Amino acid sequence: MSDTKTTNDSPSQPPPKRIGFWKRLVFSFVPLLVVVLIAEFATQLSRGEVFANYRLRRVELLKRGLPGEKNEALGYSPIPGFSGRDNQWETEVTIDADGFRTNGPGERPDGRLILTTGDSFTFGDEVSDHETWPANLEDRLEQPVLNGGVFGYSLGQAILRAEMMLDDHPDSEWLIVSLIEHDIARCEYSRHYADKPWFDLIDGKLVLQPNTAAENPPTEEELASKRWRDRLGHSALLDALFAHGTASMQKWWFLADKDLRAHPEGTGRVLAPLLADRIQEKCDATDTRLMFVLQGRHLGEDARTLLDHLAARGIPALDLVTPYLAAREQDPDLEDRYYNSHMTAEGNAWVAERVAAFLHAQD
């Protein structure tokens, strides 16, 4: 029996190639990147807007889809000639050639003009032109009403705009100054979502100060930090994380850019009575009757101080907060019917009804 030699003719297997460190690192981040991108897109959808600068929407009022533009005298004002639903609320908004919101498509009635000034509650955020309370008031009185409200205004800005309106319409019958309590606190800032004029208090008297931000320009380091934050602000996910983080994180991300305080907290309740006296003098000079309307859902020390001053000066004032809160106690559904973040069409109709009755009682 002959010997045989067994051989393995199959080729030897080469050792498996090892994936380099950097490739492994990249591959390990791919699932994480997919998760982050999904979270980013979901956050953008939840915000109702994609590919926006979400940080700037927190600090710049004019980045919020509101029909406004910069105004040297007032900080900002409605865009003359604006028309359509391209706004934050997607409601029908029409601004006339002079920068005032119209009261709907109908013709303005004849009669002496009633001027209104105030903030977003007067302008009519969240409702269409014919649903604002000035528009409803015009219908009820069958008398022309000019809507001079502007979103985000302080009481000081509303008074400044009223003075301009009186200069242009010195034969008006009434000036109605509408405010919510927070408009008084806004007087304490030289910037509140936008640079604006403000009133200083010197020797107990009001002194108008234009926006003074240019007198204290930011350093190059501060500008570089802002540029980086603005770039990061295009991420809805990062904006949500930073804006709801610690107090120091919120201040770095947006709070320091949103507001610039000119007065200590509480100064507004000192300024508001002086602003009322200022506009009373202007109305006296033009033989225009003046009244104040307090709207909203809050009646604190600032508002009470102003109402007490108006009563002492004999300036007509209509407090709508107190009857609203009392009615809401009896009918909890009133909150949903009258309010979103601003007043609904039904809520504005209620305001107009109360204002009309108050004006009739003054005759």
Side-chain angles (χ1 to χ4, degrees):
M1 184 175 184
S2 59
D3 295 333
T4 59
K5 187 175 181 180
T6 303
T7 60
N8 186 0
D9 294 331
S10 62
S12 60
Q13 297 293 326
K17 291 183 178 180
R18 299 188 62 185
I19 300 176
F21 171 77
W22 292 110
K23 286 186 178 180
R24 294 201 309 273
L25 188 63
V26 169
F27 290 153
S28 65
F29 270 101
V30 167
L32 178 61
L33 179 61
V34 171
V35 171
V36 169
L37 289 175
I38 292 174
E40 172 66 31
F41 187 61
T43 307
Q44 291 191 16
L45 288 179
S46 69
R47 297 282 286 268
E49 188 174 16
V50 296
F51 306 122
N53 192 313
Y54 304 96
R55 191 191 90 89
L56 287 183
R57 286 177 63 84
R58 293 186 185 275
V59 302
E60 295 283 352
L61 183 140
L62 298 184
K63 298 289 186 182
R64 296 184 167 196
L66 295 167
E69 64 180 8
K70 291 185 178 180
N71 181 299
E72 184 176 351
L74 297 169
Y76 58 91
S77 58
I79 302 172
F82 178 93
S83 180
R85 293 180 175 270
D86 184 18
N87 60 80
Q88 181 178 0
W89 313 112
E90 298 183 351
T91 55
E92 190 64 38
V93 175
T94 309
I95 311 298
D96 68 18
D98 296 318
F100 297 99
R101 187 169 188 181
T102 67
N103 293 331
E107 291 187 7
R108 176 163 287 174
D110 295 326
R112 290 187 67 186
L113 189 61
I114 295 176
L115 307 176
T116 68
T117 188
D119 60 9
S120 53
F121 277 67
T122 302
F123 179 81
D125 276 7
E126 299 190 69
V127 297
S128 292
D129 297 325
H130 66 286
E131 297 171 322
T132 69
W133 71 258
N136 276 271
L137 184 64
E138 183 173 272
D139 289 340
R140 289 178 179 277
L141 298 179
E142 296 184 346
Q143 187 173 348
V145 176
L146 187 60
N147 186 341
V150 182
F151 30 85
Y153 264 18
S154 67
L155 178 60
Q157 286 172 290
I159 294 299
L160 288 174
R161 191 166 211 227
E163 291 175 346
M164 296 177 182
M165 295 166 71
L166 287 167
D167 287 338
D168 293 335
H169 305 281
D171 57 345
S172 299
E173 181 179 6
W174 281 95
L175 168 65
I176 303 175
V177 179
S178 174
L179 71 151
I180 62 172
E181 183 169 52
H182 192 248
D183 296 351
I184 297 174
R186 292 174 187 172
C187 294
E188 299 168 3
Y189 294 88
S190 61
R191 173 181 173 78
H192 183 63
Y193 292 105
D195 297 330
K196 66 183 185 68
W198 55 285
F199 285 93
D200 204 351
L201 190 61
I202 300 177
D203 296 329
K205 297 182 178 180
L206 294 174
V207 178
L208 179 61
Q209 301 285 357
N211 172 46
T212 56
E215 297 180 7
N216 301 288
T219 64
E220 186 59 39
E221 182 180 353
E222 291 171 335
L223 286 174
S225 174
K226 184 180 183 302
R227 284 193 292 267
W228 271 107
R229 281 176 285 146
D230 287 346
R231 292 188 186 105
L232 294 174
H234 288 282
S235 167
L237 183 59
L238 289 178
D239 174 69
L241 291 173
F242 291 142
H244 297 91
T246 63
S248 60
M249 187 179 294
Q250 292 177 23
K251 182 177 180 180
W252 169 80
W253 182 243
F254 77 99
L255 289 178
D257 293 329
K258 179 176 76 73
D259 293 332
L260 184 61
R261 183 170 283 280
H263 293 291
E265 185 177 351
T267 308
R269 71 179 65 109
V270 179
L271 297 172
L274 297 176
L275 288 167
D277 292 345
R278 175 182 170 117
I279 195 60
Q280 176 68 76
E281 291 179 9
K282 183 74 173 181
C283 286
D284 289 343
T286 58
D287 196 26
T288 303
R289 302 174 73 179
L290 172 67
M291 71 169 287
F292 279 72
V293 177
L294 179 66
Q295 293 188 243
R297 291 168 281 186
H298 304 285
L299 180 60
E301 185 177 353
D302 288 354
R304 290 192 181 94
T305 299
L306 177 58
L307 290 175
D308 288 345
H309 177 80
L310 295 173
R313 290 294 306 273
I315 300 173
L318 176 60
D319 168 21
L320 292 180
V321 179
T322 300
Y324 167 73
L325 294 178
R328 192 180 66 180
E329 283 292 319
Q330 301 299 318
D331 180 7
D333 292 336
L334 205 64
E335 181 81 11
D336 292 334
R337 286 168 40 211
Y338 280 11
Y339 279 94
N340 292 317
S341 56
H342 298 84
M343 299 203 83
T344 63
E346 184 179 356
N348 280 311
W350 176 80
V351 170
E353 178 185 8
R354 293 284 181 136
V355 173
F358 189 86
L359 290 177
H360 284 311
Q362 304 305 307
D363 295 332

